[in-house]
Amino acid sequence: MDEAGCQIILALKGFSMFSAFPIVKEYLPGATASSLHEIKLINDYLGYKSHTYIPAYQDREFAEVLERSSHITFNSLSQWERFKGQVKAFNQANPERIISCGIRVNPQYSEVETDMYNPCVPGSRLGVTRTHLGEQLPEGMEGIHFHTLCENGSDVLERTLEALESRFGDLLHQAKWLNMGGGHLMTREGYDISKLVKLIKQLKEKYNLEVILEPGSAIAWRTGYLTSTVLDIMESQGIQVAILDTSFAAHMPDTLEMPYKPRILGAHYEPMEGMPTYRLGGMTCLAGDFMGDYSFEKPLEIGSQLVFDDMIHYTMVKTTTFNGVNLPSIGIWKTDDTFQLVKQYGYESFKDRLS
Ligand SMILES: Cc1ncc(COP(=O)(O)O)c(C=O)c1O
């Protein structure tokens, strides 16, 4: 941020652990929300007005969205037409706190291979393609937003910017700010930060605008563990299965949705010939609630602890109580090796979501 002269803000959809927000606030000057509830968490626990982008705003919520946001990005021109009168009225009544509005565009370029995470699939509902915009940004709009990256490096950003500029370059000249969304994995080892800085500086110089980035994953990349205990070990048609007191479906849903195989501390990621090897089962009765296989140095036993790595971003925010399984407790393991238990769940948390 210091070198590039940009703003990097937290995307709550990836990381909403508000007990850790005091640390986030030491570094980041803002946060972005994708719902009214996330907006409230930003206001209450970071003390910021939100940069808000919701694919479609609801009439009954919009007045509160206005009260609580500094920037509002619209996903379509029809949404802008529907709400621009309310924005204008708000800004006229609050000249000391003008809300800056933007439009999400679809640059029709993404290197994300999984369709589930690719906002540029044909017919995507996320952002407007160039054909919808004329030669001028709609009157009253100041910003352009795009989000097409997912756990990418700055080389992908460079190619994405070429596509963006080829389609929207003239409109970038009219904009006050460009929000380049998330997916910039700038805390991953090997990420080329100097290229990112160079790209941002070039954009600022060429178009004379502010640049905002809103990563989620990068803020919490490899910051936390999910620990589990082996409850049972059984043999099934030649396969050793260890059943854990956690669930891939309920506690690590991205492992099944994305899908990806999480790393376990001290375990071999791929099964190794001749070593104790297990398929790991979750504790729900969903047939697909398993992961594996992994090999271990020593045979697992009932009571063995397995520690899943990198289980903060998009994990804590996505847990469910499917099957009535309890949610994992949340705590902070500090650098002085003390552990602060922040939250435990129980029957009430499960019941609260039902009726
Ligand atoms: C609009 C928008 N901004 C930011 C993000 C955060 O992306 P990431 O966590 O990959 O950095 C997302 C993720 O889906 C998003 O949709």
Side-chain angles (χ1 to χ4, degrees):
M1 273 196 294
D2 291 345
E3 268 185 58
C6 67
Q7 281 213 331
I8 299 176
I9 62 178
L10 167 69
L12 260 71
K13 70 191 92 202
F15 179 64
S16 291
M17 184 179 171
F18 55 92
S19 52
F21 279 4
I23 301 172
V24 170
K25 198 170 165 141
E26 280 179 37
Y27 296 91
L28 304 182
T32 175
S34 41
S35 64
L36 182 55
H37 290 169
E38 283 186 355
I39 296 176
K40 287 185 176 179
L41 215 56
I42 291 171
N43 294 171
D44 292 352
Y45 289 91
L46 282 167
Y48 298 138
K49 299 279 184 212
S50 164
H51 287 241
T52 303
Y53 160 72
I54 304 179
Y57 294 94
Q58 302 186 60
D59 290 339
R60 64 168 182 266
E61 286 185 359
F62 197 71
E64 206 169 353
V65 170
L66 285 169
E67 283 295 335
R68 294 172 171 276
S69 303
S70 61
H71 295 67
I72 300 181
T73 295
F74 292 87
N75 187 55
S76 69
L77 289 176
S78 54
Q79 276 269 300
W80 168 242
E81 288 304 320
R82 184 171 185 84
F83 292 107
K84 71 179 184 189
Q86 283 186 59
V87 178
K88 203 172 164 191
F90 181 94
N91 282 345
Q92 272 169 357
N94 301 277
E96 75 298 342
R97 198 181 90 64
I98 298 291
I99 296 171
S100 187
C101 291
I103 182 90
R104 177 165 175 172
V105 301
N106 175 357
Q108 293 178 271
Y109 181 87
S110 173
E111 297 189 21
V112 178
E113 278 163 14
T114 318
D115 278 0
M116 182 80 156
Y117 295 94
N118 183 353
C120 300
V121 288
S124 168
R125 73 187 190 292
L126 301 170
V128 296
T129 51
R130 179 61 216 238
T131 46
H132 290 93
L133 293 168
E135 286 173 3
Q136 297 293 318
L137 269 183
E139 203 209 319
M141 280 228 170
E142 299 186 324
I144 293 181
H145 179 294
F146 76 90
H147 168 78
T148 58
L149 276 67
C150 181
E151 297 187 1
N152 289 133
S154 43
D155 51 332
V156 179
L157 175 65
E158 187 169 37
R159 295 191 282 276
T160 305
L161 287 174
E162 279 168 25
L164 179 82
E165 290 188 71
S166 72
R167 294 199 161 90
F168 296 96
D170 55 334
L171 299 182
L172 287 172
H173 281 293
Q174 301 164 27
K176 264 196 186 162
W177 51 265
L178 171 66
N179 183 325
M180 307 205 288
H184 315 270
L185 205 43
M186 56 187 78
T187 51
R188 176 161 59 189
E189 219 178 336
Y191 182 97
D192 187 348
I193 291 180
S194 54
K195 181 181 283 252
L196 175 66
V197 169
K198 190 185 87 188
L199 292 171
I200 293 170
K201 281 183 164 168
Q202 281 171 356
L203 279 171
K204 287 180 52 145
E205 199 173 303
K206 185 165 174 190
Y207 297 106
N208 187 27
L209 40 62
E210 286 167 37
V211 174
I212 303 160
L213 289 83
E214 46 175 41
S217 296
I219 308 305
W221 188 249
R222 301 202 65 187
T223 56
Y225 304 116
L226 191 152
T227 65
S228 64
T229 303
V230 175
L231 298 178
D232 192 19
I233 297 178
M234 57 184 282
E235 192 270 344
S236 172
Q237 296 162 64
I239 292 173
Q240 289 292 315
V241 184
I243 300 186
L244 309 177
D245 68 345
T246 187
S247 158
F248 298 96
H251 298 160
M252 301 172 256
D254 265 359
T255 62
L256 301 179
E257 269 177 32
M258 207 168 180
Y260 76 96
K261 187 178 177 184
R263 294 201 176 265
I264 297 173
L265 301 195
H268 294 276
Y269 189 70
E270 297 297 346
M272 308 277 282
E273 189 85 22
M275 295 188 84
T277 297
Y278 299 86
R279 178 162 296 175
L280 304 179
M283 60 173 173
T284 73
C285 53
L286 175 75
D289 189 2
F290 71 87
M291 190 61 53
D293 301 335
Y294 296 86
S295 293
F296 296 84
E297 293 294 321
K298 289 192 303 192
L300 294 180
E301 293 167 6
I302 291 171
S304 297
Q305 281 211 323
L306 299 188
V307 180
F308 291 88
D309 192 14
D310 201 17
M311 282 296 157
I312 293 268
H313 59 94
Y314 292 101
T315 298
M316 215 183 256
V317 289
K318 280 192 168 185
T319 52
T320 70
T321 55
F322 172 57
N323 257 223
V325 295
N326 203 7
L327 295 167
S329 306
I330 292 174
I332 302 178
W333 185 17
K334 302 198 171 173
T335 45
D336 64 3
D337 215 20
T338 55
F339 181 78
Q340 178 198 350
L341 182 65
V342 174
K343 203 158 202 172
Q344 269 180 312
Y345 300 90
Y347 171 59
E348 291 302 322
S349 331
F350 165 63
K351 203 182 77 177
D352 268 0
R353 300 180 55 239
L354 303 169
S355 61

